[in-house]
Amino acid sequence: AGVFEEKISGEETALRPRELPERAETARVVVRHKDYFEEAVGSLKAASRTEISSRILATINKILVTAGQTVKADQPLIELDGRDLQLQRSQAQTQFDAARAAWVNAEADYKRDVPLYQKKVISRADMDRSLTSLRVAQARVNEAQQGVTKAGVLLSYTTIRAPRDGMIVDRWAEPGDTARPGVALLSLYDPASLRLEVPVMEKLAVHLKVGDPLAVHIDALNQDIQATIDEIVPQAEEASRSFLVKVRLPRLKGLPE
């Protein structure tokens, strides 16, 4: 404030360059560009994951696989108690046999009545009744056949099979449990569909796009690879303000098969 030192003049003054001694050491200043890397930690997950459940309500008799086991398409995984469905199919078959026997009799009556009607031995009304009986018998045969088919389809549901090749990663049931439609019993994933899912900070994610290459380090293999962005979830999580980036990986030896 000018108490201990003289005030600085408010007038502009030209800057005087500092003079260096004759033998002073100097260094040349060069502008260089340096790349900086931001790290984000993600998890390996399967893009193709299937939860396997029952189509019918039944007791579980056997579970033929364990978590970590590799299975083939159409391989039996779970056997359910099918005694009630076997009884239903037997009853449907009995109804079909009875309907077919009635149809055979109706067809024989119709064939016998045709020449009688042509010879005017029976009336037109009798002939119509014979034809109607035959058609009704045929309809009952068709209905009974559908019942047999339906019972057979339901019985086939007592064996739950793998929908595709893959690995069992989760098991949520045990023998003796009741399987219910829509309730997951096993989880199956395709090892060939493994990809890396990484939450990336919003300020970085906005500069990424599908198809961009990324450098990935797999800790389990201690290996660096080049991967490609497969998908970016276009909605940030409110808590972390990050976008989920899904990265497609090449097939690597050592990852789950």
Side-chain angles (χ1 to χ4, degrees), residues 7-216:
K7 290 186 177 181
I8 300 174
S9 173
E11 297 179 359
E12 294 184 1
T13 57
L15 295 175
R16 293 182 300 173
R18 179 182 175 186
E19 295 182 358
L20 297 176
E22 294 182 358
R23 297 184 177 181
E25 295 183 358
T26 61
R28 183 181 179 184
V29 178
V30 179
V31 177
R32 296 186 183 275
H33 296 280
K34 183 178 180 180
D35 293 330
Y36 288 89
F37 293 90
E38 293 284 350
E39 293 186 354
V41 180
S43 302
L44 286 175
K45 294 187 178 180
S48 175
R49 188 182 181 99
T50 304
E51 291 188 350
I52 298 173
S53 61
S54 174
R55 296 187 180 185
I56 58 175
L57 181 67
T59 302
I60 299 174
N61 283 344
K62 296 180 181 179
I63 299 182
L64 307 174
V65 292
T66 58
Q69 180 176 342
T70 301
V71 298
K72 297 293 185 181
D74 205 41
Q75 178 178 333
L77 304 178
I78 298 176
E79 292 183 359
L80 305 178
D81 186 0
R83 288 175 293 182
D84 291 342
L85 295 176
Q86 289 175 349
L87 179 60
Q88 291 180 20
R89 188 178 66 173
S90 178
Q91 292 174 345
Q93 185 64 46
T94 300
Q95 293 174 359
F96 172 77
D97 293 341
R100 183 169 178 80
W103 173 80
V104 170
N105 291 334
E107 184 182 37
D109 291 342
Y110 175 75
K111 290 181 177 180
R112 184 183 62 248
D113 291 343
V114 169
L116 295 178
Y117 173 70
Q118 293 174 348
K119 296 178 181 179
K120 300 187 183 301
V121 175
I122 61 175
S123 64
R124 178 67 186 181
D126 292 334
M127 189 64 207
D128 290 342
R129 280 193 293 270
S130 180
L131 179 59
T132 300
S133 298
L134 178 61
R135 290 175 176 173
V136 170
Q138 182 63 59
R140 289 176 178 171
V141 168
N142 294 338
E143 182 180 7
Q145 180 62 59
Q146 292 175 0
V148 172
T149 302
K150 180 180 179 181
V153 170
L154 291 176
L155 187 60
S156 70
Y157 292 159
T158 58
T159 300
I160 301 176
R161 300 178 179 274
R164 61 173 62 88
D165 295 349
M167 177 184 291
I168 303 296
V169 290
D170 288 307
R171 170 174 163 172
W172 296 297
E174 297 295 334
D177 294 345
T178 299
R180 294 177 173 82
V183 178
L185 305 174
L186 300 172
S187 180
L188 175 73
Y189 91 102
D190 181 6
S193 67
L194 275 181
R195 65 184 179 187
L196 186 65
E197 296 189 1
V198 188
V200 178
M201 290 185 295
E202 183 178 9
K203 66 178 183 179
L204 301 176
V206 294
H207 300 290
L208 300 176
K209 63 181 182 295
V210 174
D212 284 351
L214 289 180
V216 175

